[in-house]
Amino acid sequence: MEARAKINLTLDVINRREDGYHNVMMIMQQVCLSDTVQLVSGSGDGPVTIECSHPQVPSGGANIACRAAQLIREHFNIRRGIEIRIDKNIPVAAGLAGGSTDAAAVIKGLNLLWELNMDMREMMNLGKVLGADVPFCIMGGTALAEGMGDILTPVRAPAELDLLLVKPDAAVSTAWAYCNLDPAAIHERPDSPMMIKALEAGDRPGIAGGLCNVFETVIPVHYPEIRDIKETMLRTGALGSVMTGSGPAVVGIYESREGAEKAAGCFAGRYRDVFVTRTFAG
Ligand code: ATP
């Protein structure tokens, strides 16, 4: 199964809740860049095993894909063994929901493999237990996310966007990013309703002009390469550029695939994680 990454076109943190989580308002977009998740069902009772060669990704029970399989087994009282293989292409701890999308692929894959007959809503409700981004990764496409990020409204976005993704050689923990976010330092917030209008109209300059992420008030202070990447993207023809999630990956929207590929050449020698991709409509 293809487990696709997500980017944020907008990201606003509204407030901190009493349970310690945050209410957000953001527009999430699935992209073609993906991990490949393979599931091999055992013929009888057995454990959940996982194979993933990426050095930053835990093996065993700490892997969110493994937890997704355990959750399904417990929920449906299934003891059958399952072998999960992940071919990791999505950069880790980058703001691209790499772990969440692997978990989503396991839920969707086991639903088919074990003929569990869950509809989308049921899968999303189960996925929510694992992380706030998992329901979106199950639904895919484009969506407005509210609450903890799990209250989703699909957005019709007819225009395909050519994208360049560049990740500086750093990993950002989402928890650390929230701890360091100072609401008083936020001077520019995204206008998500305006972004939805631009998406529905297929208005590329409008979409590019509306890109905004409040985490850009904190993360680039610690990782100045983020500002350099944004500036280089704009200098190489990007219509707009924004950091995704809590970073540090940066997204640029280009007029064409050729434009994105040409710009990628400017980053190739400096950064390991450079991807030309495009939005995925679901
Ligand atoms: P988000 O955008 O949802 O906040 P992210 O893209 O910033 O997520 P991930 O790539 O999901 O971050 O990784 C976050 C942490 O989860 C890493 O420290 C990683 O070791 C751990 N992890 C557990 N399982 C996985 C997995 N299957 N793939 C990637 N990371 C995983």
Side-chain angles (χ1 to χ4, degrees):
M1 297 202 55
E2 296 300 301
R4 294 184 179 83
K6 66 87 189 161
I7 58 168
N8 289 87
L9 298 174
T10 63
L11 200 176
D12 198 2
V13 178
I14 310 295
N15 55 27
R16 190 169 188 273
R17 301 151 43 120
E18 289 201 340
D19 60 11
Y21 290 98
H22 290 80
N23 285 312
V24 296
M25 183 185 274
M26 57 192 181
I27 296 176
M28 299 166 97
Q29 172 66 59
Q30 204 168 37
V31 300
C32 292
L33 173 67
S34 61
D35 293 341
T36 305
V37 178
Q38 239 184 305
L39 302 171
V40 181
S41 182
S43 47
D45 291 359
V48 177
T49 61
I50 190 147
E51 209 180 280
C52 177
S53 58
H54 196 291
Q56 281 168 276
V57 175
S59 51
N63 194 301
I64 189 172
C66 202
R67 291 201 284 126
Q70 292 289 19
L71 180 71
I72 297 274
R73 292 196 339 158
E74 275 158 32
H75 190 77
F76 290 95
N77 204 14
I78 294 172
R79 294 209 187 92
R80 203 185 302 176
I82 185 83
E83 204 179 304
I84 306 169
R85 289 180 208 149
I86 302 177
D87 193 359
K88 196 100 199 130
N89 302 308
I90 304 170
V92 176
L96 294 165
S100 303
T101 197
D102 292 347
V106 168
I107 294 173
K108 289 199 286 185
L110 288 182
N111 190 41
L112 294 175
L113 198 62
W114 288 342
E115 296 174 353
L116 304 174
N117 294 320
M118 281 187 284
D119 62 21
M120 181 82 83
R121 274 287 141 207
E122 288 176 83
M123 289 193 284
M124 287 164 69
N125 278 334
L126 260 186
K128 192 157 81 173
V129 177
L130 299 165
D133 284 350
V134 178
F136 172 74
C137 293
I138 290 172
M139 190 176 94
T142 314
L144 171 70
E146 294 171 281
M148 280 165 53
D150 58 319
I151 303 171
L152 298 170
T153 310
V155 174
R156 209 181 51 81
E160 245 184 24
L161 304 172
D162 288 295
L163 307 171
L164 178 60
L165 298 185
V166 178
K167 188 190 85 79
D169 297 330
V172 172
S173 132
T174 305
W176 177 86
Y178 273 101
C179 277
N180 283 276
L181 186 70
D182 172 11
I186 301 172
H187 300 301
E188 195 194 353
R189 290 184 180 273
D191 185 341
S192 291
M194 192 84 115
M195 177 61 91
I196 292 172
K197 279 198 188 123
L199 285 163
E200 286 173 343
D203 168 12
R204 285 185 176 79
I207 297 166
L211 297 172
C212 184
N213 179 348
V214 294
F215 280 110
E216 286 192 19
T217 56
V218 40
I219 311 299
V221 176
H222 299 271
Y223 303 100
E225 308 99 291
I226 293 170
R227 287 203 195 100
D228 297 344
I229 293 170
K230 285 187 69 171
E231 277 163 22
T232 307
M233 282 181 171
L234 295 173
R235 227 184 26 249
T236 55
L239 299 171
S241 168
V242 72
M243 188 182 80
T244 177
S246 52
V250 180
V251 184
I253 299 180
Y254 286 78
E255 298 253 28
S256 65
R257 185 170 182 90
E258 294 71 47
E261 275 167 356
K262 204 166 158 217
C266 300
F267 292 101
R270 282 163 47 207
Y271 297 103
R272 225 170 348 138
D273 292 318
V274 178
F275 304 92
V276 173
T277 186
R278 83 175 86 82
T279 52
F280 186 81

